[in-house]
Amino acid sequence: MVTIAPYGQWRSPLTAESAAAGSHAPDSARFVGDEVWWAEPVAAERRVALLRSVDGVVEAVLPAPWNVRTAVHEYGGGAWTAIDTAVVFSHLADGRLYRLDGPLLDPVPLTPEVAGVAYGGLVPAGRSVLAIRETHTGDGPSEVERDLVLVPLDASGAVEASAITSVVAGSRFLAQPRISPDGDRIAWIAWDHPNMPWDGTELRVGDLVDGHVESWRTLLGGPRESVLQPEWLPGGGLAAITDRSGWWNLVRVDPDGDAAPVSLLAAERETGGPLWVLGTRWYLPLPDGRILLTSTFGSEDQLLLDPADGSTTVLRSDRSATSWEDLRSGRALLIDQSAVDPESLWSFDVAGGGFTLQRSGVDDLPLDVFPEAELLEVDGVHAVVYGPRNPAFRAPDGELPPFVAFVHGGPTSQAGVRVNPAIAYYTSRGIGVVDVDYGGSTGYGRSYRERLTGRWGVVDVQDVVTVVRGLADRGVADGARLAIEGGSAGGWTVLAALTGTDVFAAGVSRYGVADAVALATDTHDFESRYLDGLIGPYPEAEALYRERAPINHVDGLSAPVLLLQGLDDRIVPPAQSRLFRDALAARHIPHALIEYPGEGHGFRGREAQISSREAALSFYGQVLGFVPPDVPLLPLS
């Protein structure tokens, strides 16, 4: 039986509690011996656990409170790796590396206990593990040094720091190190301020002498070319990703630098993405010379490339967020998601061509109320639309649904098609969602990415407005009940849209940027010069920073705002949300600020995930004119 009820008032089997409990997307995976192990956030324990499956039963191989994360570059990545049947991992609480020789055994420390030192981007290297070491030399967020190091597996580095070999430094940032199969050379990615890795990086190669690189040569890259993921090829030579064509594409590189790069797959599509975390791999060379890779324009194709003749085989289409994780005995591990599959871990049989699900990113969630995804382009702006869906309900004839525009963070990132409980939490109650890939997003080439250069707070706002107005003009959304929601950089766009336009009736900012000057002067090293490209160099462009900052335009605001903030956030500190809260209060605009102790940049704890979802739904109901069932009322000041 189908019940007729207004949009926003549909009862949904997907509760905030079930969404938090049932969501656990794997974030990395490796073969450990003959087993598949993976890392996965556990919201109830506020940690990333290391898991495996035995006879279909998932079990932890590393009990609480061990937390497999790293703070290198603040966003981490590459926090663990496997070497035969052992695992080396970073424990977030102390930043040290540990060796785990088997499930539930006591981890053995490999690095000394030194405050302010972290390791990430781990790669096996014979009897050592290769890592990016980040050393904070002072109290300031930019007082930091980084180098590539070899950490012995025999634990000698835990008691004698000199046992850890510094391989090479020479740049502010380093990533994706790869030692050649013969052990004589090392390739890595390097860049310096003010560039971000999607602006300009260098592919460097150096000779290894007793574990050290005395000199190196730059093979690709520069201030206006982004190079990613070097990999030594089985038949000799080196592969890498470069966007010198305007698109991140795969090329073969001469390690000696004597020959020009040779294209392996030229296309107006992307094999590559923003290097926010250190562990992502967009392609995976196979022993027979073929290459598994991802090719993106909005959504992703997973391809098998044969460089011998340039032919490609499409393995799967309409995917997103693919990371090729590991390879052993003809099986590849990958993590991805799609419009029908939640973010999950798969194995791929290279010979047989079949995919096998190893770990789903959701458990016991009512997928029949999850929405379908539709790719949309409005006046050159890309987006993914998720309409209301709940088989048990329909709206009265003639009613149009409220819509929430999701604004992804970054801003150098991508929405992607996905099965997302946060989206389904709204759509299953009759609230549409449109996920906007505004100018500055990845996945559409460098020129689309650079539409935001110098125009953050302008282009992103214009593009989100273009998309939601397009939905209203098409009769898809109720133009009087449009809302906007985003976190971090997406929160900036939320606040800028609310202060600079009258299109949205409400907005939710999760740890959003309100003051550009404060962000430029009070954030971590990795992003400390990010705004040079998004707005302009600081302090030379200080006037423009103040002009763009939403905190300075609250007089143009009339729509209610919900602010959600973690108190341990080092990237966008709580002062940003409090400043905006004070400005809202001074203007007597309905609002709420909810602060979460122990939460940082992104809510990992179960309580914060539940509270923030329910608070946003109650907030939208009060402002957009519906009463969501079974949700606590959020008091508005």
Side-chain angles (χ1 to χ4, degrees):
M1 178 178 176
V2 177
T3 301
I4 299 175
Y7 287 117
Q9 295 185 195
W10 299 355
R11 292 186 180 274
S12 173
L14 181 65
T15 65
E17 291 90 343
S18 64
S23 304
H24 45 69
D27 74 1
S28 53
R30 294 291 183 272
F31 288 105
V32 181
D34 295 326
E35 296 181 343
V36 175
W37 291 19
W38 66 92
E40 182 177 293
V42 180
E45 298 176 356
R46 300 172 63 86
R47 72 183 184 108
V48 175
L50 201 56
L51 307 174
R52 68 172 180 171
S53 178
V54 178
D55 297 326
V57 178
V58 174
E59 63 179 29
V61 297
L62 195 60
W66 294 103
N67 192 356
V68 185
R69 288 180 60 200
T70 173
V72 172
H73 294 181
E74 196 64 34
Y75 294 102
W80 70 288
T81 193
I83 302 175
D84 296 325
T85 59
V87 157
V88 176
F89 70 93
S90 162
H91 178 44
L92 183 66
D94 60 14
R96 301 175 77 184
L97 294 184
Y98 292 82
R99 191 187 73 237
L100 179 67
D101 294 324
L104 303 180
L105 297 179
D106 291 334
V108 178
L110 300 183
T111 57
E113 187 172 4
V114 180
V117 178
Y119 303 83
L122 307 185
V123 179
R127 294 188 295 275
S128 300
V129 64
L130 184 62
I132 298 157
R133 178 171 61 184
E134 182 174 277
T135 304
H136 289 265
T137 57
D139 295 332
S142 293
E143 296 179 72
V144 60
E145 297 174 350
R146 298 179 182 89
D147 59 348
L148 295 179
V149 296
L150 285 168
V151 179
L153 297 178
D154 62 8
S156 57
V159 293
E160 184 57 60
S162 61
I164 298 174
T165 302
S166 179
V167 178
V168 69
S171 62
R172 187 73 173 201
F173 302 99
L174 309 99
Q176 299 175 317
R178 302 289 191 267
I179 293 178
S180 61
D182 60 12
D184 290 341
R185 290 187 285 193
I186 182 173
W188 72 98
I189 299 298
W191 72 98
D192 287 288
H193 284 318
N195 276 341
M196 298 299 288
W198 41 86
D199 297 324
T201 60
E202 294 182 359
L203 168 59
R204 295 177 177 176
V205 171
D207 296 325
L208 281 172
V209 179
D210 296 328
H212 300 279
V213 172
E214 296 180 359
S215 63
W216 65 79
R217 51 199 169 275
T218 297
L219 300 182
L220 283 177
R224 295 276 300 150
E225 179 183 359
S226 173
V227 187
L228 302 168
Q229 195 191 334
E231 299 284 356
W232 296 96
L233 297 175
L238 186 65
I241 297 166
T242 172
D243 71 350
R244 60 172 49 186
S245 69
W247 302 81
W248 274 312
N249 282 179
L250 193 60
V251 298
R252 184 194 301 272
V253 184
D254 177 7
D256 297 318
D258 296 330
V262 176
S263 172
L264 293 176
L265 183 63
E268 291 189 352
R269 298 175 63 90
E270 306 253 71
T271 297
L275 190 61
W276 285 105
V277 296
L278 293 169
T280 304
R281 299 175 79 179
W282 294 277
Y283 71 99
L284 190 63
L286 301 177
D288 63 7
R290 294 180 298 168
I291 299 173
L292 294 166
L293 60 88
T294 303
S295 177
T296 306
F297 186 89
S299 63
E300 296 176 352
D301 292 339
Q302 294 165 355
L303 306 179
L304 180 59
L305 167 67
D306 188 346
D309 59 11
S311 63
T312 59
T313 302
V314 178
L315 306 176
R316 292 197 295 190
S317 296
D318 299 323
R319 317 299 292 185
S320 68
T322 301
S323 178
W324 298 95
E325 294 290 301
D326 201 5
L327 178 71
R328 179 169 297 183
S329 302
R331 294 170 64 208
L333 297 178
L334 68 151
I335 294 170
D336 75 354
Q337 56 188 326
S338 75
V340 294
D341 295 314
E343 189 168 7
S344 302
L345 169 62
W346 304 81
S347 63
F348 173 66
D349 182 345
V350 176
F355 289 85
T356 301
L357 181 65
Q358 299 289 328
R359 173 65 161 168
S360 173
V362 300
D363 284 334
D364 303 321
L365 294 183
L367 295 181
D368 61 320
V369 301
F370 278 60
E372 298 177 351
E374 176 189 356
L375 294 177
L376 176 71
E377 184 178 343
V378 183
D379 295 336
V381 182
H382 301 279
V384 187
V385 181
Y386 302 90
R389 184 188 181 200
N390 187 327
F393 287 87
R394 72 174 180 87
D397 292 342
E399 182 182 357
L400 290 174
F403 252 79
V404 181
F406 273 25
V407 188
H408 63 67
T412 312
S413 185
Q414 185 182 7
V417 293
R418 50 191 174 144
V419 172
N420 186 338
I423 292 173
Y425 186 71
Y426 290 147
T427 57
S428 63
R429 289 168 169 79
I431 305 165
V433 172
V434 58
D435 214 345
V436 183
D437 272 333
Y438 50 88
S441 301
T442 57
Y444 305 94
R446 186 169 184 122
S447 61
Y448 194 81
R449 201 163 75 236
E450 290 184 339
R451 286 185 58 229
L452 200 62
T453 300
R455 303 191 69 199
W456 190 40
V458 179
V459 165
D460 46 332
V461 172
Q462 292 172 347
D463 285 0
V464 176
V465 168
T466 293
V467 168
V468 297
R469 280 182 170 161
L471 292 178
D473 291 344
R474 288 166 168 77
V476 175
D478 184 345
R481 294 194 293 170
L482 300 173
I484 183 169
E485 178 174 327
S488 188
W492 159 278
T493 305
V494 168
L495 300 178
L498 293 174
T499 56
T501 78
D502 59 1
V503 173
F504 299 98
V508 174
S509 169
R510 289 176 280 108
Y511 36 88
V513 179
D515 185 345
V517 171
L519 181 65
T521 57
D522 186 22
T523 193
H524 61 114
D525 183 57
F526 180 70
E527 292 183 272
S528 63
R529 300 292 299 277
Y530 193 6
L531 299 191
D532 282 33
L534 294 174
I535 299 177
Y538 186 86
E540 294 87 344
E542 182 175 355
L544 188 57
Y545 276 62
R546 298 193 183 280
E547 177 187 327
R548 294 276 179 83
I551 191 66
N552 297 325
H553 297 285
V554 180
D555 55 350
L557 178 65
S558 58
V561 183
L562 170 61
L563 304 164
L564 303 168
Q565 178 70 48
L567 291 180
D568 290 352
D569 195 335
R570 294 180 54 204
I571 296 171
V572 180
Q576 297 256 343
S577 291
R578 291 169 183 166
L579 280 171
F580 207 83
R581 182 270 319 273
D582 293 344
L584 288 164
R587 287 186 51 78
H588 307 289
I589 295 172
H591 67 279
L593 169 61
I594 304 177
E595 297 181 327
Y596 296 102
E599 295 290 347
H601 201 66
F603 301 151
R604 295 178 176 270
R606 182 173 179 271
E607 295 79 6
Q609 292 178 9
I610 293 171
S611 166
S612 60
R613 281 200 180 99
E614 292 184 337
L617 182 59
S618 173
F619 171 73
Y620 286 140
Q622 293 178 63
V623 177
L624 302 180
F626 56 84
V627 181
D630 307 323
V631 174
L633 183 69
L634 172 70
L636 299 181
S637 300

